[in-house]
Coordinates of all heavy atoms in Angstrom, one line a residue:
M652 N -21.2 108.6 69.9 CA -21.8 108.6 71.2 C -22.0 107.1 71.6 O -22.5 106.3 70.8 CB -23.1 109.4 71.2 CG -23.7 109.5 72.5 SD -23.4 110.9 73.6 CE -23.4 112.3 72.6
T653 N -21.6 106.8 72.8 CA -21.7 105.4 73.3 C -22.6 105.4 74.5 O -22.5 106.2 75.4 CB -20.4 104.8 73.6 OG1 -19.5 104.9 72.5 CG2 -20.5 103.4 74.1
R654 N -23.6 104.5 74.6 CA -24.4 104.3 75.7 C -23.7 103.5 76.8 O -23.3 102.3 76.5 CB -25.8 103.7 75.4 CG -26.6 103.4 76.6 CD -28.0 103.4 76.4 NE -28.5 104.6 75.8 CZ -29.3 105.5 76.4 NH1 -29.8 105.2 77.6 NH2 -29.6 106.6 75.8
L655 N -23.6 104.0 78.0 CA -23.0 103.2 79.1 C -24.2 102.9 80.0 O -25.0 103.7 80.3 CB -21.9 104.0 79.8 CG -20.7 104.5 79.0 CD1 -19.8 105.3 79.9 CD2 -20.1 103.3 78.3
V656 N -24.2 101.6 80.5 CA -25.2 101.2 81.4 C -24.5 100.6 82.6 O -23.6 99.9 82.5 CB -26.1 100.1 80.8 CG1 -27.2 99.7 81.7 CG2 -26.7 100.6 79.4
Y657 N -25.0 101.0 83.8 CA -24.4 100.6 85.1 C -25.4 99.8 85.9 O -26.6 100.1 85.9 CB -24.0 101.9 85.9 CG -23.2 102.9 85.1 CD1 -23.7 104.1 84.8 CD2 -21.9 102.5 84.6 CE1 -22.9 105.0 84.1 CE2 -21.1 103.5 83.9 CZ -21.7 104.7 83.6 OH -20.9 105.6 82.9
F658 N -24.9 98.8 86.6 CA -25.7 97.9 87.4 C -25.2 97.8 88.8 O -24.1 97.9 89.1 CB -25.7 96.5 86.7 CG -26.4 96.4 85.4 CD1 -25.7 96.6 84.2 CD2 -27.8 96.3 85.3 CE1 -26.3 96.5 83.0 CE2 -28.4 96.3 84.1 CZ -27.7 96.4 82.9
A659 N -26.2 97.4 89.7 CA -26.0 97.1 91.1 C -25.2 98.2 91.8 O -25.5 99.4 91.6 CB -25.3 95.8 91.2
W660 N -24.1 97.9 92.6 CA -23.4 98.9 93.3 C -22.6 99.9 92.4 O -22.3 101.0 92.8 CB -22.6 98.4 94.5 CG -21.6 97.3 94.2 CD1 -21.8 96.0 94.5 CD2 -20.3 97.4 93.7 NE1 -20.7 95.3 94.1 CE2 -19.8 96.1 93.6 CE3 -19.6 98.5 93.2 CZ2 -18.5 95.9 93.1 CZ3 -18.3 98.3 92.7 CH2 -17.8 97.0 92.7
V661 N -22.3 99.5 91.2 CA -21.7 100.4 90.3 C -22.6 101.6 90.0 O -22.3 102.7 90.1 CB -21.2 99.7 89.0 CG1 -20.7 100.7 88.0 CG2 -20.2 98.6 89.3
R662 N -23.9 101.2 89.7 CA -24.9 102.3 89.5 C -25.1 103.1 90.7 O -25.2 104.4 90.6 CB -26.2 101.6 89.1 CG -27.4 102.6 88.9 CD -28.7 101.9 88.7 NE -29.0 101.0 89.8 CZ -29.3 99.7 89.6 NH1 -29.4 99.1 88.4 NH2 -29.6 98.9 90.7
E663 N -25.2 102.5 91.9 CA -25.4 103.2 93.1 C -24.3 104.2 93.4 O -24.6 105.4 93.8 CB -25.6 102.3 94.3 CG -26.8 101.4 94.2 CD -26.9 100.3 95.2 OE1 -26.0 100.2 96.1 OE2 -27.7 99.4 95.1
R664 N -23.1 103.8 93.2 CA -21.9 104.7 93.5 C -21.8 105.8 92.5 O -21.4 106.9 92.8 CB -20.7 103.9 93.6 CG -20.7 102.9 94.8 CD -19.5 102.1 94.9 NE -19.6 101.1 96.0 CZ -18.7 100.2 96.3 NH1 -17.6 100.0 95.5 NH2 -18.9 99.4 97.3
I665 N -22.1 105.5 91.2 CA -22.0 106.6 90.2 C -23.1 107.5 90.3 O -23.0 108.7 90.0 CB -21.9 105.9 88.8 CG1 -20.5 105.3 88.6 CG2 -22.1 107.0 87.7 CD1 -20.3 104.5 87.4
G666 N -24.3 107.0 90.7 CA -25.5 107.8 90.9 C -26.4 107.9 89.7 O -27.3 108.8 89.6
K667 N -26.2 107.0 88.7 CA -27.1 107.0 87.6 C -27.0 105.6 87.0 O -26.0 104.9 87.1 CB -26.7 108.0 86.5 CG -25.3 108.0 86.0 CD -25.0 109.1 85.0 CE -24.3 110.2 85.7 NZ -23.8 111.2 84.8
G668 N -28.1 105.2 86.3 CA -28.2 103.9 85.7 C -27.6 103.8 84.3 O -27.2 102.7 83.9
E669 N -27.6 104.9 83.6 CA -27.1 104.9 82.2 C -26.8 106.3 81.8 O -27.2 107.3 82.4 CB -28.0 104.3 81.3 CG -29.4 104.9 81.1 CD -30.3 104.2 80.2 OE1 -30.5 103.0 80.4 OE2 -30.9 104.8 79.4
E670 N -25.9 106.4 80.8 CA -25.6 107.7 80.2 C -25.0 107.5 78.8 O -24.5 106.5 78.5 CB -24.7 108.5 81.1 CG -23.3 107.9 81.2 CD -22.4 108.7 82.1 OE1 -22.4 109.9 82.1 OE2 -21.7 108.0 82.9
D671 N -25.2 108.6 78.0 CA -24.5 108.6 76.7 C -23.3 109.4 76.8 O -23.4 110.6 77.3 CB -25.5 109.1 75.6 CG -26.7 108.2 75.4 OD1 -26.4 107.0 75.2 OD2 -27.8 108.7 75.3
I672 N -22.2 109.0 76.3 CA -20.9 109.7 76.4 C -20.1 109.6 75.2 O -20.1 108.6 74.4 CB -20.1 109.0 77.6 CG1 -18.9 109.9 78.0 CG2 -19.8 107.6 77.4 CD1 -18.3 109.4 79.3
D673 N -19.4 110.7 74.9 CA -18.5 110.8 73.8 C -17.1 110.4 74.4 O -16.6 111.0 75.3 CB -18.3 112.2 73.2 CG -19.5 112.5 72.3 OD1 -19.9 111.7 71.5 OD2 -20.0 113.7 72.4
L674 N -16.6 109.3 73.9 CA -15.3 108.8 74.4 C -14.1 109.4 73.6 O -14.2 109.5 72.4 CB -15.2 107.3 74.3 CG -16.3 106.6 75.1 CD1 -16.2 105.1 74.8 CD2 -16.1 106.8 76.6
P675 N -13.0 109.8 74.3 CA -11.8 110.3 73.7 C -11.3 109.2 72.7 O -11.5 108.0 73.0 CB -10.9 110.6 74.8 CG -11.7 110.6 76.0 CD -12.9 109.8 75.8
A676 N -10.5 109.6 71.7 CA -10.0 108.7 70.7 C -9.0 107.7 71.4 O -8.9 106.6 70.8 CB -9.3 109.5 69.6
D677 N -8.4 108.0 72.5 CA -7.4 107.1 73.1 C -8.1 106.1 74.0 O -7.4 105.2 74.5 CB -6.3 107.9 73.8 CG -6.9 108.7 75.0 OD1 -8.1 109.0 75.0 OD2 -6.1 109.0 75.9
V678 N -9.4 106.1 74.1 CA -10.1 105.1 74.9 C -10.5 104.0 73.9 O -11.5 104.1 73.1 CB -11.3 105.7 75.6 CG1 -12.1 104.6 76.3 CG2 -10.9 106.7 76.6
T679 N -9.7 102.9 73.8 CA -9.9 101.9 72.8 C -10.3 100.5 73.3 O -10.7 99.7 72.5 CB -8.7 101.8 71.9 OG1 -7.6 101.4 72.6 CG2 -8.4 103.1 71.2
T680 N -10.1 100.3 74.6 CA -10.4 99.0 75.2 C -11.3 99.2 76.4 O -11.5 100.3 76.9 CB -9.2 98.2 75.6 OG1 -8.6 99.0 76.7 CG2 -8.2 98.1 74.5
G681 N -11.8 98.1 76.9 CA -12.6 98.1 78.2 C -11.8 98.7 79.3 O -12.2 99.5 80.1
A682 N -10.5 98.3 79.4 CA -9.6 98.8 80.5 C -9.4 100.3 80.3 O -9.4 101.1 81.3 CB -8.3 98.1 80.4
D683 N -9.2 100.8 79.1 CA -9.1 102.2 78.8 C -10.4 103.0 79.3 O -10.3 104.1 79.9 CB -8.9 102.5 77.4 CG -7.6 102.1 76.8 OD1 -6.6 101.8 77.6 OD2 -7.5 101.9 75.6
L684 N -11.5 102.4 79.0 CA -12.8 103.0 79.4 C -12.9 103.1 80.9 O -13.2 104.2 81.5 CB -14.0 102.2 78.9 CG -15.3 102.6 79.4 CD1 -15.7 104.0 78.9 CD2 -16.4 101.6 79.0
L685 N -12.5 102.1 81.7 CA -12.6 102.1 83.1 C -11.6 103.2 83.6 O -12.0 104.0 84.5 CB -12.2 100.8 83.7 CG -13.2 99.6 83.4 CD1 -12.6 98.3 84.0 CD2 -14.6 99.9 83.9
A686 N -10.4 103.3 83.1 CA -9.5 104.3 83.5 C -10.0 105.7 83.2 O -9.9 106.6 84.1 CB -8.1 104.1 82.8
H687 N -10.6 105.9 82.1 CA -11.2 107.2 81.7 C -12.3 107.6 82.7 O -12.4 108.7 83.2 CB -11.7 107.2 80.3 CG -12.4 108.4 79.9 ND1 -11.8 109.6 79.7 CD2 -13.8 108.6 79.6 CE1 -12.8 110.5 79.4 NE2 -13.9 109.9 79.4
L688 N -13.2 106.7 82.9 CA -14.4 107.0 83.7 C -13.9 107.4 85.1 O -14.5 108.2 85.8 CB -15.3 105.8 83.8 CG -16.1 105.5 82.5 CD1 -16.9 104.2 82.7 CD2 -17.0 106.6 82.1
K689 N -12.9 106.8 85.6 CA -12.4 107.1 87.0 C -12.0 108.5 87.1 O -11.9 109.1 88.2 CB -11.2 106.2 87.4 CG -11.7 104.7 87.7 CD -10.6 103.7 87.7 CE -9.7 103.9 88.9 NZ -8.8 102.8 89.1
T690 N -11.7 109.2 86.0 CA -11.3 110.6 86.0 C -12.5 111.6 86.0 O -12.3 112.8 86.1 CB -10.4 111.0 84.8 OG1 -11.1 110.9 83.6 CG2 -9.2 110.0 84.7
L691 N -13.7 111.0 85.9 CA -14.9 111.9 85.7 C -15.5 112.4 87.1 O -16.4 113.1 87.0 CB -15.9 111.2 84.9 CG -15.5 110.8 83.5 CD1 -16.7 110.2 82.7 CD2 -15.0 112.1 82.7
G692 N -14.9 111.9 88.2 CA -15.5 112.4 89.4 C -15.3 111.3 90.5 O -15.0 110.2 90.3
D693 N -15.6 111.8 91.7 CA -15.5 110.9 92.9 C -16.4 109.7 92.8 O -16.0 108.6 93.2 CB -15.8 111.7 94.2 CG -14.7 112.7 94.5 OD1 -13.6 112.6 93.9 OD2 -15.0 113.6 95.3
G694 N -17.6 109.8 92.4 CA -18.5 108.7 92.3 C -18.0 107.6 91.4 O -18.0 106.4 91.7
Y695 N -17.5 108.0 90.2 CA -16.9 107.1 89.3 C -15.6 106.4 89.9 O -15.5 105.2 89.8 CB -16.5 107.8 88.0 CG -17.6 108.2 87.2 CD1 -18.1 109.5 87.3 CD2 -18.3 107.4 86.2 CE1 -19.2 110.0 86.5 CE2 -19.3 107.9 85.4 CZ -19.8 109.2 85.6 OH -20.8 109.6 84.8
A696 N -14.8 107.2 90.5 CA -13.6 106.7 91.1 C -13.9 105.7 92.2 O -13.2 104.6 92.2 CB -12.7 107.8 91.6
H697 N -14.9 106.0 93.0 CA -15.3 105.0 94.0 C -15.9 103.8 93.5 O -15.5 102.7 93.9 CB -16.3 105.7 95.0 CG -16.7 104.9 96.1 ND1 -15.9 104.3 97.0 CD2 -18.0 104.5 96.5 CE1 -16.6 103.6 97.9 NE2 -17.9 103.7 97.6
A698 N -16.7 103.9 92.5 CA -17.4 102.7 91.9 C -16.4 101.8 91.2 O -16.5 100.6 91.2 CB -18.4 103.2 90.9
L699 N -15.3 102.4 90.6 CA -14.4 101.6 89.8 C -13.0 101.4 90.5 O -12.0 101.1 89.8 CB -14.2 102.3 88.5 CG -15.6 102.5 87.7 CD1 -15.3 103.3 86.5 CD2 -16.2 101.2 87.4
E700 N -12.9 101.7 91.8 CA -11.6 101.6 92.5 C -11.0 100.3 92.4 O -9.8 100.1 92.4 CB -11.7 102.1 93.9 CG -12.6 101.3 94.8 CD -12.7 101.9 96.2 OE1 -11.7 102.5 96.7 OE2 -13.8 101.7 96.8
H701 N -11.8 99.2 92.3 CA -11.3 97.8 92.2 C -11.7 97.3 90.8 O -12.4 96.4 90.7 CB -11.8 96.9 93.3 CG -11.5 97.4 94.7 ND1 -10.3 97.4 95.2 CD2 -12.3 98.0 95.6 CE1 -10.3 97.9 96.4 NE2 -11.5 98.3 96.7
E702 N -11.1 98.0 89.8 CA -11.5 97.7 88.4 C -11.3 96.3 88.0 O -12.0 95.8 87.1 CB -10.8 98.7 87.5 CG -9.3 98.6 87.4 CD -8.7 99.7 86.6 OE1 -8.8 100.8 87.0 OE2 -8.1 99.4 85.6
N703 N -10.4 95.6 88.6 CA -10.2 94.2 88.2 C -11.4 93.3 88.5 O -11.6 92.2 87.9 CB -9.0 93.6 88.9 CG -9.1 93.6 90.4 OD1 -9.5 94.6 91.0 ND2 -8.7 92.6 91.1
V704 N -12.4 93.7 89.4 CA -13.6 92.9 89.6 C -14.8 93.3 88.8 O -15.8 92.6 88.7 CB -14.0 92.9 91.1 CG1 -12.9 92.4 92.0 CG2 -14.5 94.3 91.5
I705 N -14.6 94.5 88.1 CA -15.7 95.0 87.3 C -15.9 94.1 86.0 O -14.9 93.9 85.3 CB -15.5 96.5 86.9 CG1 -15.4 97.3 88.1 CG2 -16.6 96.9 85.9 CD1 -16.7 97.4 89.0
R706 N -17.1 93.7 85.7 CA -17.4 92.9 84.5 C -17.8 93.9 83.4 O -18.4 95.0 83.7 CB -18.5 91.9 84.8 CG -18.2 90.9 85.9 CD -17.1 89.9 85.5 NE -17.2 89.4 84.2 CZ -17.7 88.2 83.9 NH1 -18.1 87.4 84.8 NH2 -17.8 87.8 82.6
I707 N -17.5 93.6 82.2 CA -17.9 94.5 81.1 C -18.6 93.6 80.0 O -18.3 92.5 79.7 CB -16.6 95.0 80.4 CG1 -15.8 95.9 81.4 CG2 -16.9 95.8 79.2 CD1 -14.4 96.3 80.9
A708 N -19.7 94.2 79.5 CA -20.4 93.6 78.4 C -20.5 94.6 77.3 O -20.8 95.8 77.5 CB -21.8 93.2 78.8
I709 N -20.2 94.2 76.1 CA -20.3 95.1 74.9 C -21.4 94.5 74.0 O -21.4 93.4 73.7 CB -19.0 95.2 74.1 CG1 -17.9 95.8 75.0 CG2 -19.2 95.9 72.8 CD1 -16.5 95.8 74.3
N710 N -22.4 95.4 73.8 CA -23.6 95.0 73.0 C -24.1 93.7 73.6 O -24.5 92.7 72.8 CB -23.2 94.9 71.5 CG -22.8 96.2 71.0 OD1 -23.2 97.3 71.4 ND2 -21.9 96.1 70.0
Q711 N -24.2 93.6 74.9 CA -24.8 92.5 75.7 C -24.0 91.2 75.6 O -24.6 90.1 75.8 CB -26.3 92.3 75.2 CG -27.1 93.5 75.5 CD -28.6 93.4 75.2 OE1 -29.0 92.3 74.7 NE2 -29.4 94.4 75.4
E712 N -22.7 91.3 75.3 CA -21.9 90.1 75.3 C -20.7 90.3 76.2 O -20.0 91.3 76.1 CB -21.4 89.9 73.9 CG -20.5 88.6 73.8 CD -20.1 88.3 72.3 OE1 -20.9 88.6 71.4 OE2 -19.0 87.9 72.1
H713 N -20.5 89.4 77.2 CA -19.4 89.6 78.2 C -18.1 89.5 77.4 O -17.9 88.7 76.6 CB -19.5 88.4 79.2 CG -20.6 88.5 80.1 ND1 -20.5 89.0 81.4 CD2 -21.9 88.2 79.9 CE1 -21.7 89.0 82.0 NE2 -22.6 88.5 81.1
V714 N -17.2 90.5 77.8 CA -15.9 90.5 77.2 C -14.8 90.8 78.3 O -15.1 91.1 79.4 CB -15.8 91.7 76.2 CG1 -16.8 91.5 75.1 CG2 -16.0 93.0 76.8
E715 N -13.6 90.5 77.9 CA -12.4 90.8 78.8 C -12.1 92.3 78.8 O -12.5 93.0 77.8 CB -11.2 90.0 78.4 CG -11.5 88.5 78.5 CD -11.7 88.0 79.9 OE1 -11.1 88.6 80.9 OE2 -12.5 87.1 80.1
H716 N -11.3 92.8 79.7 CA -11.0 94.2 79.8 C -10.1 94.6 78.6 O -10.1 95.8 78.3 CB -10.3 94.5 81.1 CG -11.2 94.5 82.3 ND1 -10.8 95.2 83.4 CD2 -12.4 94.0 82.5 CE1 -11.8 95.0 84.3 NE2 -12.8 94.3 83.8
D717 N -9.4 93.7 78.0 CA -8.6 94.1 76.8 C -9.3 94.1 75.5 O -8.7 94.3 74.4 CB -7.3 93.3 76.8 CG -7.6 91.8 76.6 OD1 -8.8 91.4 76.6 OD2 -6.6 91.0 76.4
E718 N -10.6 93.8 75.5 CA -11.4 93.8 74.3 C -11.6 95.2 73.7 O -11.9 96.2 74.4 CB -12.8 93.2 74.6 CG -13.7 93.0 73.4 CD -13.3 91.8 72.6 OE1 -12.7 90.9 73.1 OE2 -13.8 91.8 71.5
P719 N -11.4 95.3 72.4 CA -11.6 96.6 71.7 C -13.1 97.0 71.9 O -14.0 96.2 71.8 CB -11.2 96.4 70.3 CG -10.4 95.2 70.3 CD -10.8 94.4 71.4
I720 N -13.3 98.3 72.1 CA -14.7 98.8 72.2 C -15.2 99.6 71.0 O -16.3 100.1 71.0 CB -14.9 99.6 73.5 CG1 -14.0 100.9 73.5 CG2 -14.6 98.8 74.7 CD1 -14.2 101.8 74.6
A721 N -14.4 99.7 70.0 CA -14.7 100.4 68.8 C -16.1 99.9 68.2 O -16.2 98.7 68.1 CB -13.6 100.3 67.7
G722 N -17.0 100.8 67.9 CA -18.2 100.4 67.3 C -19.3 100.0 68.3 O -20.4 99.6 67.9
A723 N -19.0 100.0 69.6 CA -19.9 99.5 70.6 C -21.1 100.5 70.6 O -21.0 101.7 70.7 CB -19.3 99.4 71.9
R724 N -22.3 99.9 70.6 CA -23.5 100.7 70.8 C -23.8 100.9 72.2 O -24.4 101.9 72.7 CB -24.7 100.0 70.0 CG -24.6 100.0 68.5 CD -25.8 99.3 67.9 NE -26.1 98.0 68.4 CZ -25.5 96.9 68.2 NH1 -24.5 96.9 67.4 NH2 -25.9 95.7 68.8
E725 N -23.5 99.8 73.0 CA -23.8 99.8 74.4 C -22.7 99.1 75.2 O -22.3 98.0 74.7 CB -25.2 99.1 74.7 CG -25.5 99.0 76.2 CD -26.8 98.2 76.4 OE1 -27.9 98.8 76.4 OE2 -26.7 97.0 76.6
I726 N -22.3 99.7 76.3 CA -21.3 99.0 77.1 C -21.9 99.0 78.5 O -22.2 100.1 79.1 CB -19.9 99.8 77.1 CG1 -19.4 99.8 75.7 CG2 -18.9 99.1 78.1 CD1 -18.1 100.7 75.5
A727 N -22.0 97.8 79.1 CA -22.5 97.7 80.5 C -21.3 97.4 81.4 O -20.4 96.6 81.1 CB -23.5 96.6 80.5
L728 N -21.4 98.0 82.6 CA -20.4 97.7 83.7 C -21.2 97.3 84.9 O -22.2 97.9 85.3 CB -19.7 99.0 84.0 CG -19.0 99.7 82.8 CD1 -18.3 101.0 83.3 CD2 -17.9 98.8 82.2
F729 N -20.7 96.2 85.5 CA -21.4 95.6 86.6 C -20.4 94.8 87.5 O -19.3 94.4 87.0 CB -22.5 94.8 86.2 CG -22.3 93.8 85.1 CD1 -21.9 92.5 85.4 CD2 -22.3 94.1 83.8 CE1 -21.6 91.6 84.4 CE2 -22.0 93.2 82.8 CZ -21.7 91.9 83.1
P730 N -20.7 94.7 88.8 CA -19.9 93.9 89.7 C -20.0 92.4 89.4 O -20.9 92.0 88.7 CB -20.4 94.3 91.1 CG -21.8 94.6 90.8 CD -21.9 95.2 89.5
P731 N -19.2 91.6 90.1 CA -19.3 90.2 89.9 C -20.7 89.7 90.3 O -21.3 90.3 91.2 CB -18.2 89.6 90.8 CG -17.4 90.8 91.3 CD -18.1 92.0 91.0
M732 N -21.1 88.7 89.6 CA -22.5 88.2 90.0 C -22.3 86.9 90.8 O -21.3 86.2 90.6 CB -23.2 87.8 88.7 CG -23.5 89.0 87.8 SD -24.3 88.5 86.3 CE -22.9 87.9 85.4
T733 N -23.2 86.7 91.8 CA -23.1 85.5 92.6 C -24.4 84.7 92.2 O -25.4 85.3 91.9 CB -23.1 85.8 94.1 OG1 -24.2 86.6 94.4 CG2 -21.8 86.6 94.4
G734 N -24.2 83.4 92.3 CA -25.4 82.5 91.9 C -26.2 82.2 93.1 O -25.9 82.5 94.3
G735 N -27.3 81.5 92.9 CA -28.1 81.1 94.0 C -29.4 80.6 93.5 O -29.8 80.7 92.4

């Protein structure tokens, strides 16, 4: 079981801040995770429709979409951050 945490408009569009999910064996990278989540319903599909802008953190460390997710305790998904 992997804990997924959603932030900002990703959270708003999915309709929850976090969830625990069993990932299929073929979901091995951040990109695979995004593709899988988009199949879980309209809210997920809407939140992740522009997946290239979604940022991913595994165990609170920013990673690229091709990063393996095996062994992740927590995966966070969030939109780009702006400074100020």
Side-chain angles (χ1 to χ4, degrees):
M652 184 94 39
T653 303
R654 173 157 302 247
L655 301 180
V656 183
Y657 309 112
F658 291 95
W660 53 257
V661 175
R662 175 185 61 232
E663 293 167 10
R664 293 176 183 177
I665 289 175
K667 58 182 96 174
E669 61 185 49
E670 64 183 318
D671 292 316
I672 189 169
D673 284 319
L674 296 174
D677 63 340
V678 175
T679 62
T680 67
D683 293 340
L684 173 64
L685 296 176
H687 171 70
L688 290 174
K689 287 167 70 172
T690 70
L691 299 182
D693 291 341
Y695 292 92
H697 181 57
L699 305 172
E700 67 184 323
H701 302 290
E702 63 189 62
N703 58 318
V704 302
I705 300 295
R706 301 294 312 261
I707 300 173
I709 297 176
N710 300 330
Q711 300 183 359
E712 183 176 323
H713 291 257
V714 299
E715 298 297 325
H716 285 200
D717 61 354
E718 184 77 19
I720 62 172
R724 294 179 311 280
E725 177 185 272
I726 301 173
L728 303 178
F729 48 95
M732 297 176 282
T733 57

